[in-house]
Amino acid sequence: MQLFPCPFCGPRDETEFHYGGEAGNVRPEGANVSADFWANYLWFRANPTGPSREIWMHMTCGEFFVMTRDASTHVVADSSPNSGREP
Amino acid sequence: MSARRLDRGGSDIDRSRPLEFAFDGQKVDGFHGDTIASALLASNIRIVARSFKHHRPRGVWGAGVEEPNALVDVADLGRLTPNVRATVAPARPGLVARSVNASPTARADRYAFLDRFARFIPAGFYYKTFLWPNWRSYENRIRAMAGLGRVDPASVAGGRADQINAHCDLLVVGAGPAGLAAALQAGSAGASTILVDDGARPGGSLRHRAGVIDGAAAIDWAEAAVAELKRQGVEYLPSTTAFGVYDHNLVGLAQRRGEARPDTLWRVRARHVIVAAGAIERPLPFANNDLPGIMSADAALIYLRRYGVIVGERIVVATNNDSAYEVADALAEAGAAVTVIDSRANGRAGKLASDVRFGRRLTSARGRQVVEGAMLNDGATIAADCILVSGGWTPTVHLFCQARGKLAWRDELAAFAPAGPTSLLSVAGAAAGAISLADTLASGAKAAREFCGGAAPIPVSAGRENTLRIDPIWSSAERTDRVWIDYQSDVTAKDVELAARENFVSVEHLKRYTTLGMATDQGKTSNIGGLALMAEITGRQIAEVGTTTYRPPYAPTSFASLAGLRGGALMSPLKRLPLEAAHRARGAVFREYGGWLRPAYYGGGPGEPQIQEEARQARRSAAIFDASTLGKIEVVGPQAAEFVDFIYYNAMSTLRPGRCRYGLMLSESGIVFDDGVLARLGEDRFLVSCSSSHVGAVHARLEEWRQDRFDRKRLFIHNATSHLATVTVSGPRAKALLSELALRIDLDDSALPHMAVCDGDFQGGEMRVARVSFTGDRSYEISVPADRAEDLWMQLIELGKRFEAAVIGVEALMILRAEKGYIGIGKDTDGATMPHDLGMAGPRERRLDEYVGRRSLFTEEATRADRRQLVGLSVSAGEPPLATGAHGVEAVGSKQRSIGYVTSSYMSPTLGFPIALGLIERGASRRGEAVDIRHLGEMRRATIGAPCAFDLGGTRLNA
């Protein structure tokens, strides 16, 4: 069981977390989003072997955050709050 | 008579406390402190089990967890535990042990004849032979003949297993010399330390190998060290096996509790782990090297010094290294006639009461049922009742390898040992390849110092140091006789050779093809022998062949301890209603609905008549229903209106305060995710109601979007589901009933029309009423704080009597909503349903702004003409309802193709005929057409219609 650092609560067992997908998957918007572009947003992921930037949710505090970890060695390099869209 | 208990000696037994237990129907005497195996040896019981495949007689090989042979099923205190290692399990008075894979007993096994056919049963035999007509037709009979212990379903664990979570700076695995030295160092440095050992008493090899540490006898030093550690606050866990290292140094420990209590699982999160798990002695290859009476030399010393048992009278000690000489000397001193057969030209000199023959090897063991003698490569034979072998030592690197440590082959050990520590785990002592006691103690102390410092002096050993000087002997491919490599899986050298011949030369293939190392002992004594043989056959070095992957658990771990409390009703605990006691008082029959325990119907009985009556009465007068499980999520803030527009498929910001609107939530792939009514409580305040079983998922999704694209300081989301209880009053007499209740609200339809919401007052506390209907009748959803729910409920029931109101359960509500064609998400929709499949195409056509899932509604898939669409399905009056899940079918040539299925189906008491909903291809354009419905081979006809079968004009909403 991995140990993940929630930026708000500190290190917790991975069972407290929910995977939210790869970070940086920007939602395409507007009138002319092609089917391929949209499919890319929905389904296609890099799924790297090695360093991976990921969105995780800490279910007990409800915060989504960005975690950088190695998908192969499971070493966590960094976790930081998700800034959201500030006005 | 050969093996026996001596009159004196045995550090682990208490001769003042004799005990008696049964093995294969035979009475066995022992002492408190004995293991089952030591007591069996003391009683000279040589054959303790039958081998897995060939039913060969087998005796005790070792004295610890590595034991491949002596497996027994143990019945004790009303509990049967299969496949227990007799070498580990304590003997207890009254315990009943039975050998595995033997019938009726290990001594007189009726399948013993199988061994005579052994040469026709090589590796892979069963899978190659029993192909026709298929493996399944033979499997049961073959499995009955081959196998290990039996499970008794009637015997359940005594109580639930405890589970403990712990954190520490340092976890030391093994309380032998290296582990104790490490723990003493860590304790002196003030590091929080847990010391775990699979033995009942501390010391490991110090309990039976001679030595002097800090001026004391080794065993006394070990006991004193543990006392000192306890003083320092180190947690010492005896009888506990560290069975697995998982991500980020989570270590699983199985603590044996005895007294038939289930094992306790410890989940220890350690900053650092030191593995000081020692090493395991290997067998030597010679013909019939599996006969009972052939044992590990080190195990024989353990039985002598810890249990006062001498394993034979005329003993041959076969060795290729120095470590067996202490064994030979001790047994000779205890009165056995000992002959040492040393494969090396020059053995170790020393005080030897025994006959030593250098440069000789064993070629075979003689004897039918048990060892009777040994034959040497010089043609000599020696009569013996016991052969002790020492083929070298395999460091116990399992935990290190599970933690992704890398191994290196070391010629001076003839074994793989850790190449170096990982960042989170280091290895010390014999597990790291140390041989002398001084090196072992130093490596333990050094490993701890590197992690946490510490200034305790390194324990000093005195006297002659251990040496190894191993000359490896591996099995050779030329042999034509039967040399066992893996005792427990019954794998011989010839099986390995066959695997090589059939090109299963990779170690992972070798393992799977021959089952080498795949038994419950996971090849602790056998893997290296198999690898070495494969190396020889394929002309490689052992280091090139490599090892198979080490995976947890190190030793068999009980499911009961892994499950802990998570079983039965606690496996997935149900959510309970605040009104549960009131429902029980009315005789509610409870069922699980989406994780909630809810009343299905009231009054007991078979169900269907009660359900039909509840649904009928609800339409006639009024229904009172506990709707507390309905999700209630508040969305608050200046961005709330923008947010709900984005979240919902339907435009919601146009809603006026005090009004409600039904809407769908989609996933980004355009699939209907949830439905429900959104209430606008104020300009900046909305209340999302969602499906009972879906609240958690909806809440998480709303949070995700809030944090991803909104200003989290201007938008808040709060799940108030458990805070509020909701009771629904529905039906033609609902308004009359409610007006009797003092709620201080204007119930007039001009003030509170259908799809309006208002706040009121119930007994001086907050209350909210919403005109929302899931029945198609005039309905009021009344929400109060959960602690007021019972008062509200009792008052409504009391008032309801005057109006002949029915209290209805979930089943009756399902009928009412299906009559109206109202959907249940996940019941009347599936993972492909989009909003326009439900007849709600409006927003898709009109909305131009962004909302979740929008783009997905315009893909090629979303615009197909043959999508499955929601329909009503009717059958003739007098026919029974359609089966839920039955498929609509159409003929394609001679075959049938599914065109959809029935999603909901009920008998409608109000209409007097069955009603059903379904998802059918092109359903919306096929109204009036007949469709074939197939269920379990039976064909019926149904007519496609609108989903709504009752009150088409919707006049009852305001009646």
Side-chain angles (χ1 to χ4, degrees):
Chain A
M1 200 189 309
Q2 299 177 73
L3 198 62
F4 290 161
C6 170
F8 306 93
C9 308
R12 300 294 174 96
D13 279 345
E14 85 182 82
T15 51
E16 292 186 12
F17 295 84
H18 180 78
Y19 179 58
E22 280 177 14
N25 185 26
V26 177
R27 188 178 195 268
E29 296 187 0
N32 300 310
V33 177
S34 74
D36 281 350
F37 207 61
W38 184 251
N40 211 47
Y41 160 70
L42 281 185
W43 308 117
F44 289 85
R45 300 291 177 269
N47 194 22
T49 305
S52 175
R53 279 189 80 231
E54 299 166 349
I55 303 282
W56 286 81
M57 180 202 193
H58 187 208
M59 291 184 289
T60 46
C61 75
E63 294 291 338
F64 286 78
F65 62 95
V66 182
M67 180 156 69
T68 307
R69 56 177 208 116
D70 190 308
S72 175
T73 64
H74 294 180
V75 172
V76 177
D78 181 58
S79 82
S80 54
N82 174 22
S83 59
R85 189 179 287 180
E86 300 291 342
Chain B
M1 181 72 191
S2 50
R4 67 192 162 91
R5 181 95 64 183
L6 298 170
D7 295 333
R8 291 184 300 115
S11 62
D12 289 14
I13 54 169
D14 181 353
R15 288 181 191 257
S16 68
R17 294 169 70 191
L19 56 82
E20 190 181 299
F21 65 94
F23 170 75
D24 272 0
Q26 196 177 342
K27 184 173 88 73
V28 180
D29 291 311
F31 293 112
H32 189 84
D34 262 325
T35 62
I36 292 175
S38 66
L40 290 176
L41 285 170
S43 302
N44 196 32
I45 294 171
R46 312 299 293 264
I47 303 172
V48 300
R50 288 280 166 168
S51 72
F52 181 74
K53 187 168 151 187
H54 300 308
H55 284 253
R56 301 262 296 179
R58 290 284 165 79
V60 174
W61 155 266
V65 69
E66 74 282 3
E67 175 61 37
N69 294 337
L71 299 186
V72 290
D73 293 346
V74 173
D76 191 17
L77 299 172
R79 181 167 172 236
L80 184 95
T81 312
N83 295 326
V84 170
R85 279 143 185 72
T87 51
V88 172
R92 281 174 31 83
L95 159 162
V96 177
R98 209 183 151 284
S99 55
V100 298
N101 203 30
S103 164
T105 65
R107 207 180 155 76
D109 174 44
R110 77 166 64 103
Y111 289 118
F113 72 89
L114 276 174
D115 190 40
R116 279 183 275 139
F117 298 97
R119 70 191 175 93
F120 304 112
I121 317 179
F125 166 78
Y126 291 99
Y127 296 115
K128 285 174 182 169
T129 309
F130 297 98
L131 284 172
W132 189 91
N134 57 53
W135 164 247
R136 294 250 169 260
S137 21
Y138 304 96
E139 186 179 4
N140 284 346
R141 269 171 291 168
I142 291 171
R143 289 212 191 282
M145 287 195 288
L148 297 173
R150 56 192 66 184
V151 171
D152 177 8
S155 138
V156 291
R160 297 278 188 196
D162 294 334
Q163 295 186 335
I164 296 173
N165 293 302
H167 293 259
C168 62
D169 291 330
L170 180 66
L171 175 71
V172 180
V173 178
L180 289 171
L184 286 167
Q185 204 59 228
S188 78
S192 74
T193 304
I194 296 176
L195 173 64
V196 50
D197 189 76
D198 70 352
R201 304 173 75 170
S205 63
L206 300 178
R207 296 195 75 78
H208 64 284
R209 292 271 173 184
V212 174
I213 304 173
D214 290 348
I219 187 168
D220 298 333
W221 178 83
E223 302 271 5
V226 165
E228 168 63 19
L229 289 169
K230 285 181 181 166
R231 253 195 313 280
Q232 290 173 349
V234 169
E235 175 129 43
Y236 165 61
L237 300 173
S239 300
T240 303
T241 304
F243 62 81
V245 176
Y246 302 87
D247 278 314
H248 300 166
N249 260 12
L250 182 77
V251 185
L253 312 179
Q255 184 180 26
R256 289 178 292 285
R257 295 295 204 167
E259 310 289 318
R261 275 177 66 190
D263 295 352
T264 296
L265 174 75
W266 287 69
R267 295 188 201 90
V268 179
R269 185 76 74 174
R271 284 177 54 218
H272 195 80
V273 177
I274 293 176
V275 175
I280 291 171
E281 195 165 47
R282 291 194 293 261
L284 283 169
F286 51 89
N288 294 328
N289 59 345
D290 68 329
L291 274 179
I294 299 178
M295 290 179 77
S296 148
D298 191 58
L301 192 61
I302 290 176
Y303 288 115
L304 180 69
R305 294 216 165 121
R306 290 171 57 181
Y307 303 102
V309 173
I310 187 163
V311 293
E313 285 174 342
R314 298 178 59 82
I315 298 174
V316 170
V317 177
T319 187
N320 62 355
N321 67 80
D322 288 345
S323 71
Y325 281 83
E326 184 183 352
V327 182
D329 289 348
L331 289 168
E333 200 179 309
V338 180
T339 307
V340 177
I341 308 300
D342 192 328
S343 65
R344 301 168 299 175
N346 295 300
R348 159 176 162 160
K351 57 145 190 160
L352 288 176
S354 14
D355 169 16
V356 183
R357 303 189 194 175
F358 292 115
R360 301 283 181 273
R361 298 178 179 195
L362 258 57
T363 54
S364 68
R366 309 187 124 192
R368 271 183 58 80
Q369 292 275 311
V370 296
V371 166
E372 288 160 20
M375 184 178 261
L376 309 190
N377 60 346
D378 60 4
T381 58
I382 304 172
D385 56 8
C386 181
I387 298 176
L388 302 181
V389 295
S390 179
W393 296 83
T394 305
T396 304
V397 294
H398 301 66
L399 297 178
F400 170 73
C401 291
Q402 289 171 21
R404 304 185 191 209
K406 294 281 173 278
L407 299 176
W409 179 261
R410 281 169 58 182
D411 282 326
E412 80 276 18
L413 300 170
F416 286 102
T422 72
S423 59
L424 298 173
L425 184 145
S426 43
V427 188
I435 294 165
S436 72
L437 187 53
D439 287 349
T440 302
L441 292 164
S443 76
K446 183 168 156 278
R449 271 186 196 169
E450 275 168 16
F451 167 67
C452 59
I458 294 172
V460 178
S461 65
R464 184 170 177 173
E465 287 291 352
N466 295 328
T467 52
L468 189 66
R469 301 193 304 128
I470 187 167
D471 168 33
I473 305 176
W474 310 114
S475 184
S476 148
E478 283 100 56
R479 306 191 68 127
T480 54
D481 41 20
R482 293 165 82 195
V483 177
W484 260 261
I485 303 287
D486 185 330
Y487 294 140
Q488 203 176 61
S489 279
D490 252 352
V491 176
T492 64
K494 276 195 282 190
D495 293 320
V496 176
E497 204 190 329
L498 177 73
R501 216 159 57 226
E502 300 191 353
N503 206 28
F504 294 103
V505 291
S506 142
V507 279
E508 299 287 2
H509 289 158
L510 167 68
K511 169 178 166 175
R512 284 155 184 82
Y513 189 61
T514 62
T515 70
L516 173 73
M518 283 177 71
T520 64
D521 68 343
Q522 290 284 288
K524 290 184 180 61
T525 56
S526 63
N527 278 343
I528 297 291
L531 303 178
L533 177 55
M534 181 55 82
E536 191 209 283
I537 294 170
T538 56
R540 292 177 290 174
Q541 297 295 312
I542 299 174
E544 292 173 67
V545 174
T547 68
T548 52
T549 305
Y550 290 85
R551 296 188 179 87
Y554 168 69
T557 305
S558 84
F559 283 119
S561 72
L562 298 176
L565 285 173
R566 296 195 63 180
L570 296 176
M571 183 68 198
S572 178
L574 293 174
K575 288 178 261 193
R576 315 289 281 256
L577 295 163
L579 287 171
E580 183 176 324
H583 295 313
R584 289 204 186 278
R586 293 193 65 80
V589 173
F590 284 87
R591 287 183 192 155
E592 187 208 327
Y593 296 92
W596 285 91
L597 192 64
R598 305 179 69 181
Y601 57 92
Y602 293 85
E608 198 51 34
Q610 287 78 1
I611 293 162
Q612 289 283 309
E613 182 52 34
E614 286 174 16
R616 183 184 298 117
Q617 193 61 20
R619 293 278 187 229
R620 277 193 192 143
S621 79
I624 301 170
F625 175 73
D626 181 356
S628 299
T629 61
L630 204 61
K632 294 169 274 278
I633 301 173
E634 295 201 38
V635 176
V636 186
Q639 285 193 328
E642 185 191 336
F643 180 75
V644 292
D645 263 352
F646 181 70
I647 286 302
Y648 277 97
Y649 167 63
N650 315 67
M652 291 299 193
S653 58
T654 52
L655 200 57
R656 282 184 292 132
R659 291 291 185 269
C660 307
R661 186 173 292 165
Y662 175 79
L664 299 178
M665 286 184 203
L666 312 182
S667 66
E668 276 284 63
S669 49
I671 306 305
V672 176
F673 174 68
D674 198 42
D675 71 339
V677 167
L678 179 75
R680 189 166 200 169
L681 303 176
E683 200 56 45
D684 291 345
R685 193 149 174 244
F686 292 84
L687 183 67
V688 173
S689 78
C690 50
S691 304
S692 304
S693 58
H694 232 169
V695 185
V698 169
H699 183 217
R701 207 164 275 219
L702 297 188
E703 267 299 337
E704 182 171 11
W705 285 119
R706 166 187 171 255
Q707 294 182 31
D708 188 61
R709 58 186 285 141
F710 290 87
D711 178 358
R712 59 174 75 196
K713 296 187 189 71
R714 292 161 62 81
L715 180 66
F716 296 94
I717 291 169
H718 172 63
N719 181 0
T721 304
S722 57
H723 172 62
L724 297 170
T726 303
V727 180
T728 301
V729 182
S730 165
R733 305 182 76 178
K735 185 177 173 187
L737 196 164
L738 219 61
S739 60
E740 300 285 324
L741 201 63
L743 296 176
R744 297 189 194 164
I745 54 173
D746 185 354
L747 285 176
D748 191 86
D749 283 1
S750 60
L752 189 66
H754 179 57
M755 293 307 248
V757 60
C758 71
D759 285 335
D761 171 299
F762 176 68
Q763 296 180 339
E766 59 175 310
M767 187 223 50
R768 183 177 299 136
V769 175
R771 281 277 309 271
V772 172
S773 176
F774 199 40
T775 61
D777 283 323
R778 170 189 288 273
S779 287
Y780 298 87
E781 283 181 5
I782 310 160
S783 298
V784 294
D787 59 353
R788 297 297 183 86
E790 190 142 359
D791 282 349
L792 175 67
W793 178 259
M794 297 316 285
Q795 287 190 26
L796 284 170
I797 301 269
E798 196 52 39
L799 288 169
K801 286 178 184 162
R802 275 194 267 148
F803 296 88
E804 296 175 315
V807 179
I808 69 167
V810 176
E811 293 299 326
L813 184 75
M814 288 296 114
I815 295 176
L816 300 174
R817 66 93 197 165
E819 286 172 347
K820 288 296 298 176
Y822 295 159
I823 57 165
I825 298 295
K827 180 160 177 62
D828 302 297
T829 68
D830 62 19
T833 307
M834 291 182 164
H836 46 289
D837 302 329
L838 303 174
M840 284 179 260
R844 175 177 181 261
E845 287 157 12
R846 283 192 299 272
R847 282 188 72 177
L848 298 172
D849 55 333
E850 279 299 331
Y851 55 89
V852 176
R854 190 187 72 87
R855 179 62 183 83
S856 292
L857 301 180
F858 300 94
T859 62
E860 212 174 301
E861 185 63 29
T863 47
R864 283 169 67 122
D866 61 349
R867 293 188 62 80
R868 289 180 176 182
Q869 295 163 330
L870 183 73
V871 296
L873 294 166
S874 58
V875 295
S876 309
E879 284 190 32
L882 295 166
T884 303
H887 277 260
V889 294
E890 69 178 24
V892 181
S894 60
K895 294 193 171 166
Q896 286 178 336
R897 182 181 80 85
S898 171
I899 57 166
Y901 58 96
V902 178
T903 58
S904 293
S905 177
Y906 304 96
M907 182 67 204
S908 165
T910 306
L911 295 168
F913 52 79
I915 52 162
L917 300 174
L919 288 168
I920 299 289
E921 269 180 25
R922 305 171 199 270
S925 57
R926 292 166 77 166
R927 290 193 181 161
E929 288 180 23
V931 61
D932 289 320
I933 304 286
R934 182 186 168 129
H935 179 65
L936 300 177
E938 185 199 350
M939 296 290 287
R940 293 181 62 182
R941 299 279 283 178
T943 305
I944 297 176
C948 179
F950 178 73
D951 185 30
L952 303 182
T955 52
R956 291 178 64 103
L957 286 170
N958 291 306

